[in-house]
Amino acid sequence: MTGSDDPLSVALFSEMFMADQLARNRLSRALPKGMELSHFSVLNHLARSSEEKSPAQLARVFHVTRGAMTNTLNRLEWAGHIHVRPDWDDARRKMISISPSGKRARDAAIAAIAPILAETVREIGSDRVRQTLPVIRELRLRLESDEG
């Protein structure tokens, strides 16, 4: 069966949306005071990539508007968690990097949420999670390719 009445696709996406909402709520409550999930996500990305990014690049990575990313970056800059500098090649652009304070904030956030993530994987079972990851990854890649 295909089309708007496909119960399998409706059930799949309903479960994904509910799991996303529940995970966001649970992790948001566990983050250090004043940190939002969007802040953690940007800090984590910058820490893992270890390269400067422009606000436009970050907006694309997180599939948000430039305005939403600017708001997140302004809050992170105000907290001292990121460095913002002009792009030496194009003065209209800015480049963003994580600061030492941002690395500490990201590490504190990881320490706060890691037990929740580990417990969830332990309860479901590592083998089942490993089997599920390729399907979730393929869903993400297909949804990303539909955007372009």
Side-chain angles (χ1 to χ4, degrees), residues 115-130:
I116 296 168
L117 302 175
E119 176 188 359
T120 303
V121 169
R122 192 170 42 256
E123 288 174 353
I124 293 171
S126 296
D127 289 340
R128 289 179 68 202
V129 171
R130 276 190 206 89

Side-chain angles (χ1 to χ4, degrees), residues 54-119:
S54 72
Q57 289 172 316
L58 290 168
R60 275 193 305 277
V61 165
F62 290 102
H63 304 281
V64 297
T65 65
R66 288 185 188 193
M69 184 54 63
T70 297
N71 183 44
T72 297
L73 294 175
N74 285 341
R75 290 172 184 233
L76 289 171
E77 183 179 27
W78 181 85
H81 295 330
I82 59 170
H83 295 300
V84 179
R85 70 162 181 86
D87 183 337
W88 309 130
D89 298 324
D90 181 351
R92 296 169 297 177
R93 289 191 337 179
K94 296 177 181 178
M95 297 304 290
I96 312 298
S97 62
I98 191 167
S99 70
S101 167
K103 288 179 184 173
R104 288 190 300 274
R106 179 245 186 200
D107 291 347
I110 294 246
I113 66 173
I116 296 168
L117 302 175
E119 176 188 359

Side-chain angles (χ1 to χ4, degrees), residues 16 29 33 44 51 63 87 92 102 111 116 118 121 135 144:
M16 286 185 352
R29 285 193 311 268
K33 186 169 174 62
N44 192 48
E51 320 180 331
H63 304 281
D87 183 337
R92 296 169 297 177
I116 296 168
V121 169
V135 174
E144 281 178 341

Side-chain angles (χ1 to χ4, degrees), residues 9-24:
S9 60
V10 171
L12 171 66
F13 282 88
S14 294
E15 288 296 331
M16 286 185 352
F17 296 150
M18 185 56 67
D20 174 66
Q21 186 64 43
L22 292 168
R24 287 175 177 278

